[in-house]
Amino acid sequence: MDQRQKSELTKQSIINESFKLFYENGFKTTSVDTIMKATNLTKGAFYHHFKNKKELGLAVIGLKLQKRVYESMVAPLYGPEPPIEILSSIFYKRLKAFNLYEKQHGCPANNFINEIGDYETVYQTALKRIVEEWKSALVYVLDRGKTEGQIKQDICSKSVAVYLISSFEGVRGLRKLYDNDLILDEYISGLSLYIENLKV
């Protein structure tokens, strides 16, 4: 393994461990020292790859959070299945796929939004990029549903997209308060009715 590969692996190790620590303990309370201790690396290794914690935070948002949301909630919206089927399955499947650890800690992107969404413009811009990409994909599948005669013409696709994202992120946050999945089951029941009402 050459030096460049080693350097990239070190950088990925810092990003991966930081993501985990931010997810479990919060961004603001996790120090560079804590990250370095968890990775068994020196501060010199950290500052070789990142100017400061802000730059690291942006890397975690861009390389971990955005990828995670894209793969699970955005890319499937461009699938070939009928739009109503896509909408019905994507949210249900995602909620059912979460393990206990993820249920207890909520959505990493939403945790970032709640903690630092109003903290600094650079964070706002990076986090907004994730939401806007998700929103655009939802608008696409909703508009396709209208074109294909599955979804009512008079609904506002942007409004529905914002509602679906907000409700999904909200229930992820609420689940952190409970020691069972009843709140998720109730949400799925309500979401099912909402999506049913979108149909022609």
Side-chain angles (χ1 to χ4, degrees), residues 116-133:
I116 61 171
D118 62 345
Y119 189 53
E120 230 173 297
T121 305
V122 289
Y123 296 132
Q124 288 177 330
T125 302
L127 291 165
K128 250 191 256 185
R129 193 175 299 123
I130 296 173
V131 175
E132 287 301 317
E133 185 175 44

Side-chain angles (χ1 to χ4, degrees), residues 27-80:
F27 176 77
K28 291 180 182 177
T29 58
T30 302
S31 66
V32 171
D33 285 337
T34 302
I35 295 164
M36 292 302 92
K37 186 176 179 182
T39 56
N40 291 316
L41 294 168
T42 64
K43 270 195 174 180
F46 175 86
Y47 288 110
H48 175 73
H49 295 287
F50 303 99
K51 291 179 189 174
N52 47 42
K53 188 179 162 188
K54 180 195 290 186
E55 191 173 272
L56 171 63
L58 291 171
V60 169
I61 292 169
L63 299 174
K64 297 292 285 187
L65 298 184
Q66 188 158 8
K67 181 182 177 188
R68 180 184 167 103
V69 173
Y70 180 82
E71 290 177 349
S72 62
M73 301 303 292
V74 175
L77 292 168
Y78 293 105

Side-chain angles (χ1 to χ4, degrees), residues 92 183-195:
Y92 306 157
I183 195 81
L184 296 182
D185 294 337
E186 291 169 341
Y187 169 75
I188 288 171
S189 178
L191 182 65
S192 178
L193 290 172
Y194 181 79
I195 291 175

Side-chain angles (χ1 to χ4, degrees), residues 140-167:
Y140 164 81
V141 78
L142 288 161
D143 285 347
R144 183 162 76 87
K146 291 181 189 179
T147 301
E148 295 176 7
Q150 280 198 336
I151 292 176
K152 293 173 183 172
Q153 293 293 324
D154 61 349
I155 68 141
C156 175
S157 297
K158 287 183 180 178
S159 298
V160 172
V162 169
Y163 175 78
L164 289 171
I165 292 169
S166 302
S167 65

Side-chain angles (χ1 to χ4, degrees), residues 15-25 60 64 101:
I15 290 171
N16 291 338
E17 196 60 43
S18 297
F19 169 76
K20 183 182 175 200
L21 290 168
F22 295 158
Y23 187 30
E24 292 177 357
N25 307 316
V60 169
K64 297 292 285 187
Y101 171 82

